[in-house]
Amino acid sequence: MAVECLQKRCCLAKGRGFMGRFKPGFALAALACFFWCIIAFIYNFSLVPVSHPRTWFNQTKLYNLMSGKKRHLTNKQTIETSSTEKKPSASIITEAISTHRYVAHPSNYHFTLDEPDKCKQDPFLVLMVPVAPHDVAARDAIRSTWGNESSVQGKAVLTLFLVGLSGGAEAQQQLEEESRQHRDLLQSDFVDSYFNLTIKTMVIMDWLATRCPQATYAMKVDSDMYINPENLMSLLLSPNTPRENYITGYLMLDQPVVRDKSSKWYVPEELYPESRYPTYVLGMGYVFSNDIPFKIVRASKSIKPFNIEDAYVGACLKWMGLNPSDAPDPSQFQTYVKDSKSTDLSKIITAIAGSSEKVIEFWQNVNRRK
Ligand SMILES: *[C@@H]1O[C@H](CO)[C@@H](O)[C@H](O)[C@H]1NC(C)=O
Ligand SMILES: *[C@@H]1O[C@H](CO)[C@@H](O)[C@H](O)[C@H]1NC(C)=O
Ligand SMILES: *[C@@H]1O[C@H](CO)[C@@H](O)[C@H](O)[C@H]1NC(C)=O
Ligand SMILES: *[C@@H]1O[C@H](CO)[C@@H](O)[C@H](O)[C@H]1NC(C)=O
């Protein structure tokens, strides 16, 4: 092929001819050959990768790897069908590949329910709650507890819920009705699933960066969490709390990447090759200065996405050269509490309640004591 002729050896041979005979025709040919070499070289090393900018890894290889996982987990009959199947529906293979393709670009998603004017109230703090579309109970529990606090220590607070696609016309209608009633729902057009939590988080970051840049702080908080807005506000209003490049919560240090294929935290080496994660903040509830969302969305263009949303945010932070901060009192960011009576919830910022009933119970326990 033509490319063969463009190899360096061909070029050198013609070059030697040029040195010996000084024929103008040869000089021209040698010059042309030289430029062809350069063009071929550039094409080979630069243009090819650039023409597939999103191919960070060999998708066929990943497909095979993930089929291998399926083989490992299921019986022989599914193997035979799955190995010939071109489009395995809702399997981990498509999940991984679509997450890989889409998650880094939250702006490729569109808000099907939006509240673009919410931030005209200039909130100081925005609480962003990812929640399953059908989980009205969780939203109502939050609306009647910490989500109903629109002003804390004189600072405006906004609580919004983010859902993905509901997967049904009737469910969608109900969501739209709920949205009209409460005006606190955001919906983006990705398939809502556990595997897609990274997309959900990135869409939250995208919303904050594009619809609410004027807020000072934001928090990503799961829908089964108890939070104490008073204590959170005290932390944010402390003169020692930075208003830029700040993120805090329950720090996860030097966590190993789960390679056990039966775990829900399994991440294939193709998606994340290192054996440990950089320091990250546990996804249940982390607080950040509101310059962070834009920077994370930007970083996500360079960081290959994987399905552990909080560790992925950690990888983006590492790329930005930013370390999560220890909370001034790390014991304020609790995970599980045995029961709401043994832990003094009036002193903490977060605790996993685990259900909407518990969110209400925890809230009432604290507010009864006041
Ligand atoms: C193109 O790249 C391959 C390896 O990536 C190399 O073997 C080959 O020699 C290169 N061709 C040219 C013309 O540079
Ligand atoms: C991707 O991996 C598959 C299977 O390992 C291999 O057959 C194929 O050649 C690879 N493609 C590229 C572009 O490396
Ligand atoms: C929110 O709080 C107000 C009082 O500040 C109260 O009237 C209202 O009923 C509460 N909303 C919910 C859903 O509990
Ligand atoms: C994740 O979302 C993408 C985009 O909507 C979708 O194509 C993919 O199937 C989803 N994955 C899962 C496991 O739901």
Side-chain angles (χ1 to χ4, degrees):
M1 265 283 310
V3 180
E4 293 289 325
C5 186
L6 300 167
Q7 299 290 333
K8 280 175 210 122
R9 243 186 278 120
C10 151
C11 197
L12 286 175
K14 296 214 167 167
R16 246 184 265 119
F18 162 73
M19 293 300 280
R21 295 175 208 176
F22 292 99
K23 279 189 181 164
F26 247 96
L28 221 72
L31 214 67
C33 187
F34 178 68
F35 281 114
W36 265 109
C37 276
I38 290 174
I39 289 165
F41 188 85
I42 291 171
Y43 183 81
N44 202 10
F45 290 102
S46 314
L47 289 186
V48 172
V50 166
S51 67
H52 308 284
R54 299 303 162 211
T55 312
W56 288 294
F57 65 81
N58 183 338
Q59 291 197 355
T60 318
K61 220 160 139 189
L62 178 76
Y63 182 93
N64 292 342
L65 175 103
M66 296 311 245
S67 313
K69 173 193 160 64
K70 206 169 176 185
R71 214 168 282 136
H72 174 73
L73 292 175
T74 59
N75 63 38
K76 274 190 178 169
Q77 276 171 334
T78 27
I79 303 162
E80 260 118 53
T81 50
S82 77
S83 59
T84 50
E85 224 172 42
K86 279 262 157 123
K87 276 187 177 175
S89 61
S91 75
I92 189 121
I93 304 157
T94 18
E95 288 163 15
I97 290 173
S98 30
T99 305
H100 154 73
R101 265 197 205 143
Y102 295 117
V103 81
H105 313 288
S107 51
N108 283 354
Y109 296 103
H110 302 99
F111 287 99
T112 41
L113 291 173
D114 200 357
E115 294 295 336
D117 297 331
K118 271 284 174 182
C119 283
K120 288 200 174 137
Q121 309 157 15
D122 285 339
F124 177 77
L125 168 66
V126 186
L127 305 172
M128 296 292 276
V129 188
V131 57
H134 64 84
D135 206 348
V136 189
R139 291 191 287 276
D140 281 344
I142 292 168
R143 283 176 185 131
S144 68
T145 58
W146 49 265
N148 194 26
E149 304 282 285
S150 55
S151 171
V152 180
Q153 298 183 30
K155 296 286 183 185
V157 180
L158 185 61
T159 301
L160 292 167
F161 300 98
L162 178 81
V163 300
L165 292 177
S166 58
E170 201 181 320
Q172 186 59 29
Q173 240 170 18
Q174 280 166 9
L175 270 179
E176 281 165 18
E177 182 51 43
E178 190 182 333
S179 164
R180 273 191 293 276
Q181 197 184 336
H182 296 284
R183 303 251 68 114
D184 60 2
L185 282 184
L186 309 173
Q187 183 186 43
S188 177
D189 59 355
F190 63 88
V191 174
D192 200 302
S193 67
Y194 188 79
F195 196 89
N196 274 348
L197 281 184
T198 305
I199 299 181
K200 215 167 189 172
T201 296
M202 295 314 293
V203 168
I204 283 177
M205 295 300 171
D206 182 44
W207 193 89
L208 288 168
T210 57
R211 311 291 204 276
C212 206
Q214 65 267 57
T216 309
Y217 291 100
M219 179 177 194
K220 181 251 162 184
V221 53
D222 286 344
S223 62
D224 62 345
M225 295 296 293
Y226 163 80
I227 65 168
N228 187 313
E230 283 290 333
N231 297 341
L232 173 58
M233 194 56 80
S234 298
L235 165 71
L236 298 180
L237 292 178
S238 154
N240 299 325
T241 305
R243 295 203 165 180
E244 264 182 19
N245 292 325
Y246 180 72
I247 179 163
T248 192
Y250 185 98
L251 295 202
M252 303 292 279
L253 307 170
D254 205 29
Q255 293 295 307
V257 178
V258 177
R259 303 292 189 201
D260 170 8
K261 291 183 178 176
S262 59
S263 166
K264 75 170 179 176
W265 296 293
Y266 168 68
V267 174
E269 271 163 1
E270 265 70 7
L271 291 187
Y272 192 81
E274 278 148 72
S275 61
R276 292 186 175 267
Y277 291 123
T279 303
Y280 65 94
V281 274
L282 194 60
M284 59 170 192
Y286 47 87
V287 191
F288 43 93
S289 55
N290 203 35
D291 57 318
I292 295 272
F294 171 78
K295 294 172 181 172
I296 285 185
V297 170
R298 193 178 51 187
S300 76
K301 289 181 180 134
S302 309
I303 309 292
K304 189 197 290 181
F306 54 92
N307 47 309
I308 311 295
E309 61 94 12
D310 43 11
Y312 181 69
V313 168
C316 292
L317 294 171
K318 187 186 170 195
W319 186 88
M320 286 152 54
L322 202 144
N323 281 320
S325 303
D326 256 320
D329 176 1
S331 74
Q332 285 194 306
F333 287 88
Q334 297 266 333
T335 55
Y336 291 98
V337 290
K338 283 199 187 74
D339 68 285
S340 55
K341 280 146 206 129
S342 69
T343 311
D344 192 352
L345 291 171
S346 68
K347 298 217 162 61
I348 65 157
I349 291 175
T350 67
I352 299 175
S355 68
S356 19
E357 293 78 18
K358 287 275 179 193
V359 169
I360 295 169
E361 186 190 312
F362 282 22
W363 181 259
Q364 288 175 344
N365 285 347
V366 174
N367 291 281
R368 220 175 276 140
R369 275 184 216 158
K370 274 184 186 168

